[in-house]
Amino acid sequence: MPSSSSSVAGGATAHVDTFARERLPAADALPECLFELPELQFPPRLNCATELLDRWVGRGSEGDRPAVLGHGGVRWSYAELQAHANRIARVLVEDMGLVPGNRVLLRGANSPMLAACWFGVVKAGGIVVGTMPLLRARELVGIAQKAQVSHALVDARLAEELDLALPQCPALKQVRRFGIAEAGSLEALAATKPAHFDNVDTAADDVCLMAFTSGTTGVPKAAMHFHRDIMAACACWPPHVLRATRDDVFIGSPPLAFTFGLGGLLAFPLSIGASTVLIEKATPDALLPAIAQFKATVCFTAPTSYRAMAMQIAAQVAAQPSSGSSSSAVPDLTRLRKCVSAGEALPAATRKLWKDTTGIEIIDGIGSTELFHIFISADEQHARPGATGLVVPGYRAAVLGDDGRELPRGQVGRLAIKGPTGCKYLDDARQANYVQGGWNVTGDAYLQDADGQFVYQARTDDMIISGGYNIAGPEVESALLLHPAVAECGVVGRPDEARGMVVKAFVVLRPGHGGDAAMVAELQDYVKRTIAPYKYPREIEFRTSLPRTETGKLQRFRLRAGA
């Protein structure tokens, strides 16, 4: 098998519905893929549900190990998760007419049932199209039309918006609800099925996932991933950087509809025989007690959540009786040993705050929907404030100039990645923007320092050019977050006739601090003392909250619109 190619032939497709394969980018538009590690030598036939789930059950007693946990006492073993997934696969095929290659929209918050649905679709040779619970009918229409979705499994509590979308989705004929006790529901049909199902013998390069990018404006972009891609992601960052074990209990906030959540909370733990906690509500105030309740050991969430949880712990500790006796209000995090941050840049102040509060060094990383998961990261031993880390084994990284050539260390340019996963947009001309010269060009501005660490500067469209200076908004945010009065902030450029742009900061203050002119001056002076003075925010607007995605990622485009 070659170590480098645009695609690895998986043999004849198992897909009867060839919609996805026919809409893959042309061969000359695909990124160069690397399969240099021995563990990346995949067989031509591969179904990732077999590898992630069924192989543990096939080992006898391994099937009794806990796989998926949830609220309400749900604690499914690998064998029980497999049985649920097999019955759902049978419903899809026998009652809903699914044929391999059909696209199946999943709509629900994180839960064991949603995990079973995901595996049921993949086992049956379908293509999962995950959607965020907060999406409205108009957004669902765009996704369903783009992917030509034919089937949907939806939590009954979220069915209303999908029902509103259906008249504009003529291909979507088969919908089943779950989480409701009625005839014809997914659970009712599944209960009548045997617990055995023969997984479709898919090719390694058959598409099994269409992941719609969270930052999309206009026509949505769908990143297509093969069965091979899921397993390649499991073989790179987790064993080389995370280094979790089969006895770990994973937990976190990212939805399974996002690849950060799908990898961190389902594929990665199951790939090593560990267990995962899937809870519907994972805001900071809910995640902390859940970590304690389930004795979680590995946490995945965004920088904003770590900061909010650290502040919450500090407040709970401060509220303890003066006698020093422990309070039940303070969550027990003694089992927690690994914390992963991704989705947006990790400010040095947040890293320090979390470590000072919990003693745990955050494992930072950058990934993308297009490459499925993390490709640059640093483990606890190599973590350094302000730096993302080193390229993950299995991948290569470079910082490119505008001419497409690699820049020397220390110079800021466009981050480019090659590895076993890569961008494959569904029928989208924007493929040419993301894949250039065989590289995946992520849209992030980075530099590589003398030690080889990659240091984040900004999204390339978030660079602020003011008075001839290039200013990275996240650097200004990191400086502001060091001030004890600042809870959250976002920094963007505002168009300005004299300077081209000026730096504008949107700031959420901690309780007890007032957003007046004196505070503006104090924060401006603080930034001038912390980083180069020309980077200070010439304008500061105080807010009670900042716009964020469901994974906690700051929506700077909304701040720019407001500026």
Side-chain angles (χ1 to χ4, degrees):
M1 177 176 281
S3 63
S4 174
S5 66
S6 294
S7 176
V8 173
T13 179
H15 286 179
V16 176
D17 179 347
T18 56
F19 171 90
R21 183 167 288 254
E22 291 167 359
R23 287 161 179 79
L24 284 165
D28 60 0
L30 290 169
E32 179 185 5
C33 286
L34 308 176
F35 304 94
E36 298 168 331
L37 299 180
E39 54 267 38
L40 296 175
Q41 306 303 305
F42 297 108
R45 313 304 296 182
L46 178 69
N47 187 308
C48 64
T50 302
E51 299 303 311
L52 294 172
L53 179 56
D54 296 350
R55 71 184 176 102
W56 299 110
V57 182
R59 295 183 180 182
S61 61
E62 296 281 357
D64 296 330
R65 291 178 57 80
V68 182
L69 294 73
H71 282 312
V74 176
R75 186 180 178 87
W76 289 350
S77 67
Y78 277 82
E80 288 169 328
L81 176 59
Q82 182 197 51
H84 285 290
N86 285 346
R87 291 186 172 106
I88 291 170
R90 283 185 175 272
V91 172
L92 286 165
V93 173
E94 297 169 6
D95 297 89
M96 301 176 68
L98 179 96
V99 299
N102 284 164
R103 279 74 58 211
V104 184
L105 185 144
L106 297 186
R107 183 156 169 75
N110 285 6
S111 68
M113 184 61 180
L114 187 66
C117 289
W118 194 92
F119 277 111
V121 174
V122 175
K123 281 171 163 285
I127 299 173
V128 174
V129 181
T131 59
M132 300 297 297
L134 289 181
L135 293 185
R136 301 303 186 193
R138 181 177 179 179
E139 296 158 309
L140 293 171
V141 167
I143 290 172
Q145 290 182 347
K146 176 77 175 181
Q148 286 296 287
V149 169
S150 55
H151 298 67
L153 303 178
V154 56
D155 188 313
R157 295 167 296 176
L158 299 175
E160 182 178 359
E161 292 294 330
L162 183 61
D163 290 342
L164 293 173
L166 285 176
Q168 299 177 67
C169 306
L172 181 47
K173 301 292 188 183
Q174 290 287 335
V175 179
R176 292 289 173 180
R177 302 183 183 192
F178 60 85
I180 186 170
E182 65 178 23
S185 70
L186 181 59
E187 289 98 332
L189 290 173
T192 68
K193 306 294 183 183
H196 173 77
F197 183 83
D198 291 326
N199 294 351
V200 172
D201 184 27
T202 46
D205 62 354
D206 275 336
V207 176
C208 69
L209 175 69
M210 290 183 180
F212 281 80
T213 58
S214 62
T216 295
T217 56
V219 179
K221 290 181 293 187
M224 295 192 282
H225 292 291
F226 300 150
H227 288 265
R228 179 192 74 208
D229 296 331
I230 309 298
M231 300 314 302
C234 293
C236 293
W237 177 80
H240 291 282
V241 181
L242 182 63
R243 293 193 287 272
T245 74
R246 67 202 300 266
D247 294 322
D248 276 310
V249 179
F250 288 60
I251 198 170
S253 64
L256 297 184
F258 282 161
T259 55
F260 181 37
L262 180 61
L265 299 181
L266 193 62
F268 295 168
L270 268 61
S271 72
I272 59 173
S275 58
T276 186
V277 179
L278 296 176
I279 52 176
E280 294 187 4
K281 183 182 178 184
T283 54
D285 61 332
L287 186 55
L288 270 177
I291 292 172
Q293 175 187 346
F294 291 98
K295 296 180 174 58
T297 60
V298 180
C299 180
F300 283 71
T301 193
T304 308
S305 184
Y306 283 117
R307 185 174 181 84
M309 288 193 295
M311 293 168 59
Q312 185 175 333
I313 293 170
Q316 292 168 341
V317 170
Q320 288 187 114
S322 57
S323 63
S325 60
S326 61
S327 168
S328 59
V330 181
D332 179 7
L333 305 184
T334 54
R335 294 289 299 278
L336 188 64
R337 67 187 194 92
K338 289 181 178 287
C339 295
V340 180
S341 170
E344 61 179 350
L346 174 66
T350 299
R351 178 188 288 281
K352 182 178 185 301
L353 179 62
W354 184 254
K355 187 171 184 179
D356 289 346
T357 304
T358 66
I360 301 172
E361 187 74 71
I362 291 176
I363 299 172
D364 192 16
I366 178 175
S368 71
T369 303
E370 288 82 357
L371 280 86
F372 187 73
H373 221 271
I374 294 173
F375 42 75
I376 291 176
S377 184
D379 62 15
E380 300 93 329
Q381 289 72 41
H382 298 90
R384 204 178 69 207
T388 305
L390 303 165
V391 64
V392 170
Y395 288 86
R396 297 179 193 167
V399 177
L400 305 180
D402 291 337
D403 60 0
R405 296 182 179 179
E406 190 168 352
L407 294 173
R409 290 188 178 185
Q411 293 191 22
V412 178
R414 301 176 300 152
L415 181 66
I417 304 292
K418 290 180 182 178
T421 61
C423 179
K424 300 179 289 290
Y425 283 141
L426 168 67
D427 195 18
D428 202 309
R430 288 169 288 188
Q431 178 79 10
N433 297 330
Y434 204 95
V435 177
Q436 300 176 27
W439 290 97
N440 297 276
V441 182
T442 67
D444 299 284
Y446 263 83
L447 65 81
Q448 190 176 17
D449 66 17
D451 297 327
Q453 292 254 15
F454 286 83
V455 182
Y456 180 75
Q457 305 299 299
R459 291 288 296 175
T460 51
D461 55 3
D462 285 336
M463 292 296 290
I464 303 166
I465 303 174
S466 180
Y469 290 104
N470 287 337
I471 303 168
E475 183 183 13
V476 184
E477 292 170 5
S478 294
L480 283 167
L481 286 170
L482 292 170
H483 193 283
V486 177
E488 295 182 68
C489 66
V491 172
V492 299
R494 181 185 67 74
D496 179 76
E497 188 171 335
R499 303 183 65 83
M501 298 181 109
V502 295
V503 179
K504 179 166 184 175
F506 295 83
V507 174
V508 177
L509 294 172
R510 293 193 185 194
H513 297 276
D516 52 18
M519 179 59 73
V520 169
E522 180 180 338
L523 293 177
Q524 288 174 328
D525 290 342
Y526 183 81
V527 172
K528 290 178 185 178
R529 296 192 304 270
T530 306
I531 56 178
Y534 68 84
K535 300 177 181 179
Y536 86 96
R538 292 176 180 268
E539 297 180 3
I540 294 180
E541 180 179 323
F542 297 104
R543 294 274 187 94
T544 57
S545 64
L546 298 179
R548 296 188 178 275
T549 66
E550 287 192 60
T551 57
K553 186 183 297 185
L554 181 64
Q555 294 177 313
R556 290 186 180 85
F557 71 92
R558 292 178 61 183
L559 294 180
R560 282 196 294 269

